[in-house]
Amino acid sequence: MFIIRKKRDLTPVTKLFVVDAPLVAKKAQPGQFVIVRIAPSGERIPLTIADADAKAGTVTIVIQEVGKTSRQMGLLKEGDGILDFVGPLGRPAPLTDKGPVVLVGGGFGVAPIYPIAKALRAKGVKVISIIGARSQDLLILEAEMASVSDELLVATDDGTKGHKGFVTEVLKQLIDSGRDIELVIAIGPMVMMRAVGKTTEPYKLKTLVSVDPIMVDGTGMCGACRLTVGGKVKFACVDGPIFDAHQVDFDEANRRGKMYATEQKLAVDRFEKAHHSGPCACGCGGGH
Amino acid sequence: MPEHETTPAKRLPVKRPRAGMPTQDAKARGRNFNEVALGYGEELAVGEAERCLECKKPVCQEGCPVEVRIPEFLGKIRDRDFRGAYETVKSTNSLPAVCGRVCPQETQCEIKCVLGKKAEPVAIGRLERFVSDWAMGQSQDKPARIKPNGKKVAIVGSGPAGLTCAGDLAKKGYKVTIFEALHAPGGVLIYGIPEFRLPKQIVAEEVGNLEALGVEVICDVVVGRTITVDELFQQGYDALFLGTGAGLPMFMNIPGETLNGVYSANEFLTRTNLMKAYLFPEWDTPIKVGERVAVIGAGNVAMDSVRCAFRLGAKEAAIVYRRSEAEMPARHEELEHAKEEGIVFHTLTAPVRVLGNADGWVTGLECIKMELGEPDDSGRRRPIPIKGSEFTLNVDTVVMALGTSPNPLVSQTTPGLDVDKHGCLVVRDEDGLTTRDLVWAAGDAVTGAATVILAMGGGKKAATAIDKVLQGAK
């Protein structure tokens, strides 16, 4: 059991957990992920590491309640245990010595961007961060990102905070303004990462993205996470999860990500039914 | 072997045909995950044991990689001393209930059985299973306290090699810790081999037996990521054993392999067995099994996959294999079981590409017919494509069961630990000493994909060598 030390609701559907996992905390590097399982009958899901404290022996993860497992996980409280918490897995983000680096985080993708920003800053690399969400109340970790960025730019789809529109528009303005940029790293929904790649490609600006495919073991065993990068098949769990945005076949990745859409919907419906009508099956004493 | 070498027995061997294995009805079992082979009862077991000639020189034993004293345990079954028989098996074999089910006895001990020259060999494997299952149904005596010898050994991987090595070392007084990457111990015994061939409860009980000997099992630790080999030595382990298996799936590198509906056998079996996808949505892990499933390959993993596909509800589940039935590497028994269950076989057929629709889902498998030419390096006749014989199999799920190679996570993070061009760990001697001092290895990590019993034999040899070196180092 891996005990949840702290829980923070970042938005109504985005939750941050600080988890006791000393061995993982000691090794975790920005860009790596863990595999989590919360019940004996549960599935194994990958979650990108949002922070790690080797001294305290804790690892921070952020979940967005989308599927059944993330919803169920959202109900966990401080002091509860996570059954399995394995990692750190995948290759760390390449931490360049040369900046400036533009970090783009969309939605709950801001969470895994944070440790990269922190590590680059610690190396003295200039960090310009662009974070975005649909709306201000869905924007996460703004203060944290400000504390590890030389410059922080914000975009919301509805204009409730910062630039009204997409993070890619802010990125394009930044590039077009003639600013010196060595590298762009973008993490967020697949559509956003693809758009970032499309934005930087004409400028031949090196751009990395962190893909988030379906995984089972996370150690190279199953190949569920395979994707095509530069015409070659890669396993995101051992070859990634960070890849060159200009080489990733996003159409394929997007389609593979939806392989179990029907099953996911069925599982979510069952879960919602059990938790929102009548006496709750989870033992919480009612609806949520 | 000439008959005069048999013991002038106080009890004469009884001449009777080999006892058949009671099995679940083929039609019913093809659609459920319950165990296929039901096991001998006491009478069948005693009757079968009575067939043993009790040869003076038990050649059967030479065929056993873990050196089970076969005539001795058969003799005890005959005397109805089932506990004694179990103790005999258990003294050299840490996983008898597993071996009794999945060992290819027909190429190990039973092929050597003298009876086999004129009739059928004694069903040694089935009797091993019988005594193990018998023992599991009895109240277990607490194992005798073993005096600790003060030394610590770390085992990486809880598959058959690691479990065997752990058991042998624990019996010698070592403090043994097994590190497992997945969330449950057993390795291929739980993620690969299906419930209907090896119930997971059996694996759990065997692991429990090891824990009763003092072996500690720590799951969720990926050696090479969570902790390195060097860090384990820093933690005070005196020696290491690597039983990390061959977990990396191979693909054919044909077009269409990333379409939705194409699985590696590893993924297909892991979802089904370890994650119990056949219980979805009660269990959370889903699996996609269409109406028509093609499994590429004809080894045991392919047979397991195709039989799982049928049980998961496929209307038709087929093996696609480029050679003929004679060259199939699967155990004969598995092949027969698959046929009985209604599995379709497309032999002399090789996939060319996977076909998909606009949404990226598999719609078919384009294949080409093959003929057999001259023998190749493996000694088997080489399949040669017949020009113009392309055709399409109408399938919506494709499972690639082409073999596996060792996972590089440990070798990549351990300086001085050499691998060969296939990614297999290089060993310096028969005991499995790697190119790093005090680090031994065995099983698929060394040999590439092989059998459970070979891995166990390797684990056992390594345990003996570790003991020899550490005791010498006192």
Side-chain angles (χ1 to χ4, degrees):
Chain A
M1 276 288 197
F2 300 80
I3 304 299
I4 297 167
R5 282 291 156 226
K6 252 181 22 203
K7 180 187 180 188
R8 239 175 90 194
D9 291 2
L10 302 180
T11 79
V13 292
T14 319
K15 318 252 158 100
L16 178 148
F17 296 95
V18 179
V19 182
D20 257 350
L23 288 178
V24 184
K26 218 170 127 189
K27 282 289 164 61
Q29 303 277 328
Q32 291 187 296
F33 65 93
V34 290
I35 291 267
V36 169
R37 196 176 69 118
I38 55 172
S41 58
E43 59 183 336
R44 295 168 63 97
I45 58 162
L47 294 168
T48 313
I49 293 169
D51 204 2
D53 184 337
K55 232 188 209 164
T58 58
V59 176
T60 304
I61 48 172
V62 173
I63 56 137
Q64 177 130 309
E65 296 175 11
V66 186
K68 187 243 176 182
T69 300
S70 52
R71 280 164 205 247
Q72 193 177 349
M73 204 169 158
L75 301 177
L76 296 178
K77 302 179 292 289
E78 286 178 6
D80 286 349
I82 293 175
L83 201 52
D84 301 287
F85 194 94
V86 201
L89 301 169
R91 293 173 193 258
L95 296 177
T96 161
D97 291 318
K98 218 171 148 212
V101 176
V102 174
L103 300 178
V104 189
F108 89 121
V110 176
I113 279 286
Y114 170 75
I116 300 176
K118 193 167 129 184
L120 286 171
R121 268 286 283 253
K123 292 180 70 155
V125 176
K126 188 171 177 188
V127 173
I128 305 169
S129 300
I130 308 172
I131 62 172
R134 282 206 312 276
S135 179
Q136 181 180 11
D137 49 347
L138 296 173
L139 195 69
I140 64 164
L141 301 175
E142 192 186 348
E144 285 81 355
M145 283 305 294
S147 72
V148 290
S149 306
D150 292 275
E151 232 174 289
L152 177 69
L153 304 164
V154 176
T156 49
D157 296 5
D158 63 0
T160 43
K161 177 102 195 205
H163 170 83
K164 180 176 192 295
F166 297 133
V167 284
T168 43
E169 292 158 9
V170 179
L171 174 63
K172 188 162 186 332
Q173 283 169 17
L174 201 64
I175 301 169
D176 287 338
S177 69
R179 293 280 293 270
D180 175 33
I181 302 170
E182 277 296 320
L183 172 71
V184 175
I185 303 177
I187 307 182
M190 200 78 84
V191 280
M192 169 242 158
M193 292 194 289
R194 176 182 9 210
V196 168
K198 284 244 159 67
T199 305
T200 59
E201 201 165 11
Y203 302 91
K204 296 196 165 58
L205 181 54
K206 191 174 177 197
T207 304
L208 301 174
V209 291
S210 175
V211 296
D212 180 21
I214 293 167
M215 291 187 186
V216 184
D217 64 289
T219 62
M221 253 179 63
C222 79
C225 65
R226 62 199 191 281
L227 75 167
T228 307
V229 182
K232 289 203 174 98
V233 175
K234 301 276 180 190
F235 284 16
C237 66
V238 285
D239 301 322
I242 295 175
F243 293 105
D244 183 340
H246 303 149
Q247 303 284 320
V248 172
D249 182 340
F250 282 106
D251 285 337
E252 180 192 275
N254 204 22
R255 155 173 68 69
R256 287 186 60 81
K258 294 187 178 128
M259 188 155 158
Y260 300 99
T262 324
E263 288 76 12
Q264 181 174 320
K265 191 174 174 308
L266 173 73
V268 167
D269 288 350
R270 273 174 55 100
F271 180 77
E272 291 294 310
K273 215 171 145 195
H275 283 259
H276 283 280
S277 61
C280 179
C282 82
C284 65
H288 291 285
Chain B
M1 179 171 295
E3 299 240 338
H4 64 257
E5 279 198 33
T6 61
T7 320
K10 33 187 191 310
R11 331 165 269 200
L12 283 172
V14 179
K15 266 197 185 168
R16 63 162 69 95
R18 175 174 158 120
M21 176 60 110
T23 53
Q24 224 199 118
D25 170 66
K27 204 153 178 217
R29 76 175 190 238
R31 296 298 189 182
N32 70 46
F33 275 87
N34 300 335
E35 196 169 11
V36 169
L38 301 173
Y40 285 166
E42 290 187 10
E43 295 318 309
L44 270 184
V46 172
E48 180 62 21
E50 283 170 351
R51 296 179 64 226
C52 178
L53 300 176
E54 298 187 275
C55 306
K56 219 183 243 166
K57 189 177 157 230
V59 279
C60 51
Q61 224 159 284
E62 293 166 12
C64 178
V66 295
E67 299 154 13
V68 169
R69 297 190 303 281
I70 294 167
E72 183 182 321
F73 101 80
L74 296 187
K76 286 178 179 168
I77 294 178
R78 202 171 171 162
D79 296 340
R80 293 180 180 269
D81 174 12
F82 303 135
R83 183 173 296 279
Y86 175 68
E87 297 300 337
T88 300
V89 175
K90 191 77 189 165
S91 67
T92 67
N93 182 348
S94 291
L95 309 170
V98 171
C99 288
R101 286 172 166 81
V102 304
C103 264
Q105 288 96 9
E106 63 278 11
T107 59
Q108 305 277 352
C109 50
E110 291 178 14
I111 197 172
K112 306 251 181 177
C113 176
V114 173
L115 263 184
K117 305 219 187 272
K118 282 189 178 155
E120 283 202 274
V122 177
I124 301 165
R126 293 167 183 177
L127 290 171
E128 182 180 38
R129 170 180 164 163
F130 164 74
V131 294
S132 313
D133 289 0
W134 180 90
M136 280 185 185
Q138 307 295 310
S139 61
Q140 298 282 340
D141 294 338
K142 253 196 145 172
R145 248 186 87 79
I146 302 154
K147 199 168 160 263
N149 69 8
K151 301 218 178 253
K152 282 168 63 176
V153 179
I155 310 265
V156 182
S158 66
L163 292 177
T164 303
C165 189
D168 280 23
L169 288 171
K171 284 176 203 159
K172 292 185 164 92
Y174 289 86
K175 174 85 192 77
V176 179
T177 308
I178 302 180
F179 295 94
E180 168 56 44
L182 289 170
H183 57 258
V188 73
L189 305 175
I190 58 160
Y191 75 74
I193 301 177
E195 181 77 15
F196 58 81
R197 277 218 290 139
L198 178 64
K200 303 309 139 206
Q201 185 55 32
I202 299 282
V203 181
E205 295 213 25
E206 297 277 38
V207 173
N209 289 338
L210 291 177
E211 285 172 329
L213 286 174
V215 173
E216 183 187 17
V217 183
I218 304 178
C219 291
D220 293 332
V221 175
V222 183
V223 174
R225 290 277 192 227
T226 316
I227 197 163
T228 63
V229 162
D230 288 311
E231 286 165 338
L232 286 171
F233 278 119
Q234 283 160 23
Q235 285 194 2
Y237 289 99
D238 298 290
L240 247 66
F241 174 80
L242 306 174
T244 44
L248 293 196
M250 292 182 196
F251 286 90
M252 293 186 80
N253 296 316
I254 57 173
E257 274 184 314
T258 52
L259 287 165
N260 287 5
V262 180
Y263 285 99
S264 71
N266 261 7
E267 181 183 357
F268 195 76
L269 291 174
T270 301
R271 282 182 182 273
T272 309
N273 302 321
L274 177 68
M275 308 309 297
K276 303 225 184 302
Y278 58 93
L279 299 176
F280 180 86
E282 271 70 37
W283 285 54
D284 290 340
T285 304
I287 195 162
K288 282 278 187 192
V289 180
E291 297 208 330
R292 296 162 69 88
V293 180
V295 175
I296 321 296
N300 289 321
V301 171
M303 294 306 148
D304 285 346
S305 302
V306 79
R307 294 171 72 196
C308 278
F310 200 55
R311 283 163 170 77
L312 285 160
K315 277 193 185 145
E316 184 178 301
I319 287 284
V320 175
Y321 182 51
R322 60 193 184 129
R323 302 181 202 249
S324 71
E325 188 176 318
E327 288 83 22
M328 287 188 180
R331 277 185 81 185
H332 181 72
E333 182 182 310
E334 302 309 321
L335 196 61
E336 287 308 313
H337 278 161
K339 282 182 180 170
E340 287 164 20
E341 288 164 14
I343 301 302
V344 175
F345 287 81
H346 298 290
T347 51
L348 293 168
T349 303
V352 179
R353 62 179 155 155
V354 189
L355 306 169
N357 61 18
D359 297 332
W361 285 90
V362 173
T363 56
L365 185 67
E366 188 181 311
C367 298
I368 187 163
K369 294 300 283 182
M370 312 291 274
E371 59 190 350
L372 293 179
E374 294 300 307
D376 64 11
D377 296 344
S378 75
R380 296 178 299 178
R381 291 178 65 194
R382 184 195 304 275
I384 303 162
I386 302 171
K387 261 202 182 141
S389 68
E390 287 88 350
F391 69 103
T392 299
L393 280 177
N394 171 21
V395 297
D396 40 27
T397 304
V398 175
V399 180
M400 298 287 176
L402 309 160
T404 51
S405 59
N407 197 317
L409 283 178
V410 173
S411 54
Q412 277 171 358
T413 53
T414 310
L417 189 67
D418 294 348
V419 291
D420 67 14
K421 61 178 193 256
H422 302 293
C424 298
L425 290 168
V426 173
V427 291
R428 285 187 273 174
D429 58 24
E430 268 210 332
D431 301 327
L433 181 64
T434 66
T435 52
R436 274 286 299 262
D437 286 345
L438 297 172
V439 180
W440 281 262
D444 287 3
V446 173
T447 58
T451 61
V452 166
I453 189 64
L454 284 179
M456 291 179 60
K460 192 171 195 67
K461 271 189 182 163
T464 308
I466 290 169
D467 180 49
K468 213 163 124 195
V469 168
L470 292 188
Q471 291 314 315
K474 229 188 313 201

